[in-house]
PDB file of all heavy atoms in Angstrom:
ATOM      1  N   PHE A   7     -12.116  -6.960   7.914  1.00 98.00           N
ATOM      2  CA  PHE A   7     -12.082  -5.547   7.545  1.00 98.00           C
ATOM      3  C   PHE A   7     -12.972  -5.334   6.334  1.00 98.00           C
ATOM      4  O   PHE A   7     -12.739  -5.907   5.271  1.00 98.00           O
ATOM      5  CB  PHE A   7     -10.640  -5.133   7.250  1.00 98.00           C
ATOM      6  CG  PHE A   7     -10.470  -3.701   6.828  1.00 98.00           C
ATOM      7  CD1 PHE A   7     -11.234  -2.685   7.393  1.00 98.00           C
ATOM      8  CD2 PHE A   7      -9.535  -3.356   5.873  1.00 98.00           C
ATOM      9  CE1 PHE A   7     -11.073  -1.364   7.012  1.00 98.00           C
ATOM     10  CE2 PHE A   7      -9.352  -2.040   5.482  1.00 98.00           C
ATOM     11  CZ  PHE A   7     -10.121  -1.043   6.052  1.00 98.00           C
ATOM     12  N   VAL A   8     -14.016  -4.519   6.496  1.00 98.00           N
ATOM     13  CA  VAL A   8     -14.956  -4.249   5.408  1.00 98.00           C
ATOM     14  C   VAL A   8     -14.843  -2.777   5.021  1.00 98.00           C
ATOM     15  O   VAL A   8     -15.176  -1.890   5.817  1.00 98.00           O
ATOM     16  CB  VAL A   8     -16.407  -4.596   5.813  1.00 98.00           C
ATOM     17  CG1 VAL A   8     -17.357  -4.341   4.650  1.00 98.00           C
ATOM     18  CG2 VAL A   8     -16.498  -6.056   6.269  1.00 98.00           C
ATOM     19  N   GLU A   9     -14.383  -2.529   3.802  1.00 97.00           N
ATOM     20  CA  GLU A   9     -14.125  -1.166   3.316  1.00 97.00           C
ATOM     21  C   GLU A   9     -14.208  -1.185   1.797  1.00 97.00           C
ATOM     22  O   GLU A   9     -13.578  -2.026   1.142  1.00 97.00           O
ATOM     23  CB  GLU A   9     -12.731  -0.718   3.771  1.00 97.00           C
ATOM     24  CG  GLU A   9     -12.175   0.510   3.079  1.00 97.00           C
ATOM     25  CD  GLU A   9     -12.990   1.760   3.327  1.00 97.00           C
ATOM     26  OE1 GLU A   9     -13.078   2.197   4.487  1.00 97.00           O
ATOM     27  OE2 GLU A   9     -13.549   2.293   2.331  1.00 97.00           O
ATOM     28  N   ASP A  10     -15.009  -0.277   1.214  1.00 95.00           N
ATOM     29  CA  ASP A  10     -15.202  -0.292  -0.229  1.00 95.00           C
ATOM     30  C   ASP A  10     -14.152   0.490  -1.003  1.00 95.00           C
ATOM     31  O   ASP A  10     -14.004   0.293  -2.214  1.00 95.00           O
ATOM     32  CB  ASP A  10     -16.600   0.211  -0.589  1.00 95.00           C
ATOM     33  CG  ASP A  10     -16.815   1.663  -0.195  1.00 95.00           C
ATOM     34  OD1 ASP A  10     -16.311   2.068   0.878  1.00 95.00           O
ATOM     35  OD2 ASP A  10     -17.492   2.391  -0.942  1.00 95.00           O
ATOM     36  N   ASP A  11     -13.420   1.380  -0.355  1.00 94.00           N
ATOM     37  CA  ASP A  11     -12.371   2.132  -1.032  1.00 94.00           C
ATOM     38  C   ASP A  11     -11.148   1.226  -1.198  1.00 94.00           C
ATOM     39  O   ASP A  11     -10.534   0.804  -0.214  1.00 94.00           O
ATOM     40  CB  ASP A  11     -12.008   3.379  -0.218  1.00 94.00           C
ATOM     41  CG  ASP A  11     -11.021   4.278  -0.938  1.00 94.00           C
ATOM     42  OD1 ASP A  11      -9.880   3.834  -1.159  1.00 94.00           O
ATOM     43  OD2 ASP A  11     -11.382   5.420  -1.259  1.00 94.00           O
ATOM     44  N   ASP A  12     -10.780   0.944  -2.460  1.00 96.00           N
ATOM     45  CA  ASP A  12      -9.701  -0.004  -2.734  1.00 96.00           C
ATOM     46  C   ASP A  12      -8.379   0.428  -2.110  1.00 96.00           C
ATOM     47  O   ASP A  12      -7.635  -0.392  -1.558  1.00 96.00           O
ATOM     48  CB  ASP A  12      -9.514  -0.179  -4.244  1.00 96.00           C
ATOM     49  CG  ASP A  12     -10.714  -0.848  -4.910  1.00 96.00           C
ATOM     50  OD1 ASP A  12     -11.496  -1.496  -4.194  1.00 96.00           O
ATOM     51  OD2 ASP A  12     -10.853  -0.713  -6.141  1.00 96.00           O
ATOM     52  N   VAL A  13      -8.048   1.708  -2.218  1.00 95.00           N
ATOM     53  CA  VAL A  13      -6.768   2.205  -1.706  1.00 95.00           C
ATOM     54  C   VAL A  13      -6.710   2.064  -0.186  1.00 95.00           C
ATOM     55  O   VAL A  13      -5.727   1.560   0.380  1.00 95.00           O
ATOM     56  CB  VAL A  13      -6.541   3.663  -2.133  1.00 95.00           C
ATOM     57  CG1 VAL A  13      -5.279   4.213  -1.473  1.00 95.00           C
ATOM     58  CG2 VAL A  13      -6.439   3.768  -3.645  1.00 95.00           C
ATOM     59  N   ILE A  14      -7.774   2.517   0.487  1.00 94.00           N
ATOM     60  CA  ILE A  14      -7.808   2.438   1.946  1.00 94.00           C
ATOM     61  C   ILE A  14      -7.795   0.975   2.398  1.00 94.00           C
ATOM     62  O   ILE A  14      -7.084   0.607   3.343  1.00 94.00           O
ATOM     63  CB  ILE A  14      -9.047   3.154   2.504  1.00 94.00           C
ATOM     64  CG1 ILE A  14      -8.967   4.657   2.220  1.00 94.00           C
ATOM     65  CG2 ILE A  14      -9.178   2.903   4.015  1.00 94.00           C
ATOM     66  CD1 ILE A  14     -10.204   5.429   2.647  1.00 94.00           C
ATOM     67  N   ARG A  15      -8.578   0.146   1.712  1.00 95.00           N
ATOM     68  CA  ARG A  15      -8.657  -1.262   2.112  1.00 95.00           C
ATOM     69  C   ARG A  15      -7.300  -1.949   1.997  1.00 95.00           C
ATOM     70  O   ARG A  15      -6.866  -2.644   2.924  1.00 95.00           O
ATOM     71  CB  ARG A  15      -9.699  -1.988   1.255  1.00 95.00           C
ATOM     72  CG  ARG A  15      -9.957  -3.422   1.718  1.00 95.00           C
ATOM     73  CD  ARG A  15     -11.067  -4.101   0.927  1.00 95.00           C
ATOM     74  NE  ARG A  15     -10.759  -4.256  -0.489  1.00 95.00           N
ATOM     75  CZ  ARG A  15     -11.280  -3.511  -1.455  1.00 95.00           C
ATOM     76  NH1 ARG A  15     -12.150  -2.565  -1.181  1.00 95.00           N
ATOM     77  NH2 ARG A  15     -10.938  -3.724  -2.720  1.00 95.00           N
ATOM     78  N   GLU A  16      -6.629  -1.745   0.856  1.00 96.00           N
ATOM     79  CA  GLU A  16      -5.364  -2.431   0.648  1.00 96.00           C
ATOM     80  C   GLU A  16      -4.271  -1.883   1.554  1.00 96.00           C
ATOM     81  O   GLU A  16      -3.485  -2.651   2.129  1.00 96.00           O
ATOM     82  CB  GLU A  16      -4.956  -2.301  -0.822  1.00 96.00           C
ATOM     83  CG  GLU A  16      -5.887  -3.062  -1.761  1.00 96.00           C
ATOM     84  CD  GLU A  16      -5.629  -2.761  -3.219  1.00 96.00           C
ATOM     85  OE1 GLU A  16      -4.603  -2.102  -3.513  1.00 96.00           O
ATOM     86  OE2 GLU A  16      -6.436  -3.173  -4.072  1.00 96.00           O
ATOM     87  N   ALA A  17      -4.220  -0.570   1.718  1.00 94.00           N
ATOM     88  CA  ALA A  17      -3.181   0.018   2.564  1.00 94.00           C
ATOM     89  C   ALA A  17      -3.373  -0.369   4.021  1.00 94.00           C
ATOM     90  O   ALA A  17      -2.399  -0.686   4.733  1.00 94.00           O
ATOM     91  CB  ALA A  17      -3.197   1.546   2.422  1.00 94.00           C
ATOM     92  N   THR A  18      -4.622  -0.358   4.486  1.00 95.00           N
ATOM     93  CA  THR A  18      -4.894  -0.713   5.875  1.00 95.00           C
ATOM     94  C   THR A  18      -4.624  -2.191   6.122  1.00 95.00           C
ATOM     95  O   THR A  18      -4.075  -2.570   7.167  1.00 95.00           O
ATOM     96  CB  THR A  18      -6.351  -0.377   6.238  1.00 95.00           C
ATOM     97  OG1 THR A  18      -6.585   1.015   5.995  1.00 95.00           O
ATOM     98  CG2 THR A  18      -6.630  -0.680   7.704  1.00 95.00           C
ATOM     99  N   GLN A  19      -5.003  -3.026   5.161  1.00 96.00           N
ATOM    100  CA  GLN A  19      -4.731  -4.457   5.308  1.00 96.00           C
ATOM    101  C   GLN A  19      -3.237  -4.709   5.447  1.00 96.00           C
ATOM    102  O   GLN A  19      -2.801  -5.469   6.327  1.00 96.00           O
ATOM    103  CB  GLN A  19      -5.291  -5.230   4.119  1.00 96.00           C
ATOM    104  CG  GLN A  19      -5.018  -6.736   4.216  1.00 96.00           C
ATOM    105  CD  GLN A  19      -5.678  -7.528   3.103  1.00 96.00           C
ATOM    106  OE1 GLN A  19      -6.348  -6.958   2.244  1.00 96.00           O
ATOM    107  NE2 GLN A  19      -5.512  -8.844   3.122  1.00 96.00           N
ATOM    108  N   LEU A  20      -2.434  -4.066   4.617  1.00 94.00           N
ATOM    109  CA  LEU A  20      -0.987  -4.235   4.695  1.00 94.00           C
ATOM    110  C   LEU A  20      -0.442  -3.755   6.030  1.00 94.00           C
ATOM    111  O   LEU A  20       0.420  -4.404   6.639  1.00 94.00           O
ATOM    112  CB  LEU A  20      -0.312  -3.484   3.545  1.00 94.00           C
ATOM    113  CG  LEU A  20      -0.471  -4.088   2.150  1.00 94.00           C
ATOM    114  CD1 LEU A  20       0.104  -3.147   1.094  1.00 94.00           C
ATOM    115  CD2 LEU A  20       0.211  -5.449   2.066  1.00 94.00           C
ATOM    116  N   ALA A  21      -0.957  -2.611   6.502  1.00 93.00           N
ATOM    117  CA  ALA A  21      -0.488  -2.068   7.783  1.00 93.00           C
ATOM    118  C   ALA A  21      -0.819  -3.009   8.934  1.00 93.00           C
ATOM    119  O   ALA A  21       0.001  -3.247   9.827  1.00 93.00           O
ATOM    120  CB  ALA A  21      -1.113  -0.692   8.012  1.00 93.00           C
ATOM    121  N   LEU A  22      -2.032  -3.554   8.928  1.00 95.00           N
ATOM    122  CA  LEU A  22      -2.428  -4.474   9.992  1.00 95.00           C
ATOM    123  C   LEU A  22      -1.624  -5.765   9.936  1.00 95.00           C
ATOM    124  O   LEU A  22      -1.227  -6.312  10.976  1.00 95.00           O
ATOM    125  CB  LEU A  22      -3.926  -4.764   9.894  1.00 95.00           C
ATOM    126  CG  LEU A  22      -4.871  -3.609  10.187  1.00 95.00           C
ATOM    127  CD1 LEU A  22      -6.320  -4.030   9.952  1.00 95.00           C
ATOM    128  CD2 LEU A  22      -4.700  -3.102  11.608  1.00 95.00           C
ATOM    129  N   GLU A  23      -1.378  -6.255   8.730  1.00 95.00           N
ATOM    130  CA  GLU A  23      -0.601  -7.485   8.591  1.00 95.00           C
ATOM    131  C   GLU A  23       0.838  -7.282   9.050  1.00 95.00           C
ATOM    132  O   GLU A  23       1.457  -8.197   9.630  1.00 95.00           O
ATOM    133  CB  GLU A  23      -0.656  -7.974   7.148  1.00 95.00           C
ATOM    134  CG  GLU A  23      -2.035  -8.519   6.768  1.00 95.00           C
ATOM    135  CD  GLU A  23      -2.163  -8.886   5.313  1.00 95.00           C
ATOM    136  OE1 GLU A  23      -1.326  -8.424   4.493  1.00 95.00           O
ATOM    137  OE2 GLU A  23      -3.103  -9.621   4.966  1.00 95.00           O
ATOM    138  N   ARG A  24       1.388  -6.086   8.826  1.00 93.00           N
ATOM    139  CA  ARG A  24       2.738  -5.799   9.316  1.00 93.00           C
ATOM    140  C   ARG A  24       2.790  -5.833  10.839  1.00 93.00           C
ATOM    141  O   ARG A  24       3.839  -6.127  11.425  1.00 93.00           O
ATOM    142  CB  ARG A  24       3.213  -4.437   8.800  1.00 93.00           C
ATOM    143  CG  ARG A  24       3.680  -4.446   7.356  1.00 93.00           C
ATOM    144  CD  ARG A  24       4.505  -3.209   7.047  1.00 93.00           C
ATOM    145  NE  ARG A  24       3.735  -1.984   7.220  1.00 93.00           N
ATOM    146  CZ  ARG A  24       3.047  -1.390   6.249  1.00 93.00           C
ATOM    147  NH1 ARG A  24       3.028  -1.921   5.034  1.00 93.00           N
ATOM    148  NH2 ARG A  24       2.386  -0.285   6.477  1.00 93.00           N
ATOM    149  N   ASP A  25       1.646  -5.531  11.472  1.00 93.00           N
ATOM    150  CA  ASP A  25       1.588  -5.569  12.937  1.00 93.00           C
ATOM    151  C   ASP A  25       1.215  -6.945  13.464  1.00 93.00           C
ATOM    152  O   ASP A  25       0.963  -7.101  14.655  1.00 93.00           O
ATOM    153  CB  ASP A  25       0.595  -4.526  13.447  1.00 93.00           C
ATOM    154  CG  ASP A  25       1.239  -3.166  13.650  1.00 93.00           C
ATOM    155  OD1 ASP A  25       1.832  -2.961  14.722  1.00 93.00           O
ATOM    156  OD2 ASP A  25       1.175  -2.331  12.733  1.00 93.00           O
ATOM    157  N   GLY A  26       1.154  -7.931  12.595  1.00 94.00           N
ATOM    158  CA  GLY A  26       0.960  -9.297  13.041  1.00 94.00           C
ATOM    159  C   GLY A  26      -0.460  -9.818  13.001  1.00 94.00           C
ATOM    160  O   GLY A  26      -0.711 -10.950  13.436  1.00 94.00           O
ATOM    161  N   PHE A  27      -1.404  -9.018  12.472  1.00 96.00           N
ATOM    162  CA  PHE A  27      -2.785  -9.469  12.373  1.00 96.00           C
ATOM    163  C   PHE A  27      -2.999 -10.285  11.095  1.00 96.00           C
ATOM    164  O   PHE A  27      -2.354 -10.043  10.077  1.00 96.00           O
ATOM    165  CB  PHE A  27      -3.748  -8.284  12.360  1.00 96.00           C
ATOM    166  CG  PHE A  27      -3.746  -7.478  13.622  1.00 96.00           C
ATOM    167  CD1 PHE A  27      -3.058  -6.278  13.693  1.00 96.00           C
ATOM    168  CD2 PHE A  27      -4.438  -7.909  14.748  1.00 96.00           C
ATOM    169  CE1 PHE A  27      -3.057  -5.520  14.852  1.00 96.00           C
ATOM    170  CE2 PHE A  27      -4.442  -7.168  15.910  1.00 96.00           C
ATOM    171  CZ  PHE A  27      -3.747  -5.978  15.970  1.00 96.00           C
ATOM    172  N   VAL A  28      -3.916 -11.229  11.162  1.00 96.00           N
ATOM    173  CA  VAL A  28      -4.400 -11.912   9.969  1.00 96.00           C
ATOM    174  C   VAL A  28      -5.662 -11.181   9.527  1.00 96.00           C
ATOM    175  O   VAL A  28      -6.589 -11.008  10.330  1.00 96.00           O
ATOM    176  CB  VAL A  28      -4.714 -13.393  10.253  1.00 96.00           C
ATOM    177  CG1 VAL A  28      -5.332 -14.053   9.029  1.00 96.00           C
ATOM    178  CG2 VAL A  28      -3.459 -14.126  10.678  1.00 96.00           C
ATOM    179  N   VAL A  29      -5.700 -10.726   8.282  1.00 97.00           N
ATOM    180  CA  VAL A  29      -6.780  -9.849   7.828  1.00 97.00           C
ATOM    181  C   VAL A  29      -7.555 -10.480   6.675  1.00 97.00           C
ATOM    182  O   VAL A  29      -6.973 -10.933   5.690  1.00 97.00           O
ATOM    183  CB  VAL A  29      -6.233  -8.476   7.383  1.00 97.00           C
ATOM    184  CG1 VAL A  29      -7.377  -7.563   6.947  1.00 97.00           C
ATOM    185  CG2 VAL A  29      -5.427  -7.827   8.501  1.00 97.00           C
ATOM    186  N   THR A  30      -8.883 -10.504   6.834  1.00 98.00           N
ATOM    187  CA  THR A  30      -9.777 -10.811   5.717  1.00 98.00           C
ATOM    188  C   THR A  30     -10.456  -9.509   5.333  1.00 98.00           C
ATOM    189  O   THR A  30     -11.190  -8.929   6.135  1.00 98.00           O
ATOM    190  CB  THR A  30     -10.839 -11.855   6.112  1.00 98.00           C
ATOM    191  OG1 THR A  30     -10.192 -13.078   6.452  1.00 98.00           O
ATOM    192  CG2 THR A  30     -11.808 -12.095   4.955  1.00 98.00           C
ATOM    193  N   ALA A  31     -10.169  -9.009   4.131  1.00 98.00           N
ATOM    194  CA  ALA A  31     -10.680  -7.709   3.687  1.00 98.00           C
ATOM    195  C   ALA A  31     -11.747  -7.906   2.626  1.00 98.00           C
ATOM    196  O   ALA A  31     -11.537  -8.639   1.651  1.00 98.00           O
ATOM    197  CB  ALA A  31      -9.546  -6.844   3.152  1.00 98.00           C
ATOM    198  N   MET A  32     -12.881  -7.243   2.812  1.00 98.00           N
ATOM    199  CA  MET A  32     -14.001  -7.359   1.887  1.00 98.00           C
ATOM    200  C   MET A  32     -14.477  -5.974   1.449  1.00 98.00           C
ATOM    201  O   MET A  32     -14.468  -5.033   2.258  1.00 98.00           O
ATOM    202  CB  MET A  32     -15.153  -8.118   2.529  1.00 98.00           C
ATOM    203  CG  MET A  32     -14.867  -9.597   2.758  1.00 98.00           C
ATOM    204  SD  MET A  32     -14.643 -10.451   1.187  1.00 98.00           S
ATOM    205  CE  MET A  32     -14.077 -12.061   1.749  1.00 98.00           C
ATOM    206  N   PRO A  33     -14.954  -5.838   0.178  1.00 97.00           N
ATOM    207  CA  PRO A  33     -15.335  -4.532  -0.343  1.00 97.00           C
ATOM    208  C   PRO A  33     -16.777  -4.125  -0.094  1.00 97.00           C
ATOM    209  O   PRO A  33     -17.153  -2.988  -0.380  1.00 97.00           O
ATOM    210  CB  PRO A  33     -15.078  -4.685  -1.846  1.00 97.00           C
ATOM    211  CG  PRO A  33     -15.388  -6.130  -2.113  1.00 97.00           C
ATOM    212  CD  PRO A  33     -14.922  -6.866  -0.891  1.00 97.00           C
ATOM    213  N   ASP A  34     -17.622  -5.041   0.397  1.00 97.00           N
ATOM    214  CA  ASP A  34     -19.006  -4.654   0.662  1.00 97.00           C
ATOM    215  C   ASP A  34     -19.564  -5.455   1.840  1.00 97.00           C
ATOM    216  O   ASP A  34     -18.963  -6.444   2.282  1.00 97.00           O
ATOM    217  CB  ASP A  34     -19.886  -4.812  -0.575  1.00 97.00           C
ATOM    218  CG  ASP A  34     -20.078  -6.263  -1.010  1.00 97.00           C
ATOM    219  OD1 ASP A  34     -20.646  -7.051  -0.231  1.00 97.00           O
ATOM    220  OD2 ASP A  34     -19.663  -6.603  -2.128  1.00 97.00           O
ATOM    221  N   GLY A  35     -20.708  -5.002   2.332  1.00 96.00           N
ATOM    222  CA  GLY A  35     -21.260  -5.583   3.540  1.00 96.00           C
ATOM    223  C   GLY A  35     -21.755  -7.004   3.401  1.00 96.00           C
ATOM    224  O   GLY A  35     -21.639  -7.810   4.327  1.00 96.00           O
TER     225      GLY A  35
END
């Protein structure tokens, strides 16, 4: 998951992890 907005990145990562995904989140390309 690549997203530069800290709030969106962290909230989305948590939501995906709650659904059972393993997430690697990065702030830039």
Side-chain angles (χ1 to χ4, degrees):
F7 179 37
V8 181
E9 166 63 63
D10 64 322
D11 186 295
D12 294 340
V13 174
I14 294 176
R15 187 176 63 256
E16 293 171 10
T18 303
Q19 179 175 0
L20 288 173
L22 293 176
E23 289 174 342
R24 282 197 299 268
D25 272 276
F27 296 101
V28 175
V29 181
T30 297
M32 291 295 171
D34 67 62

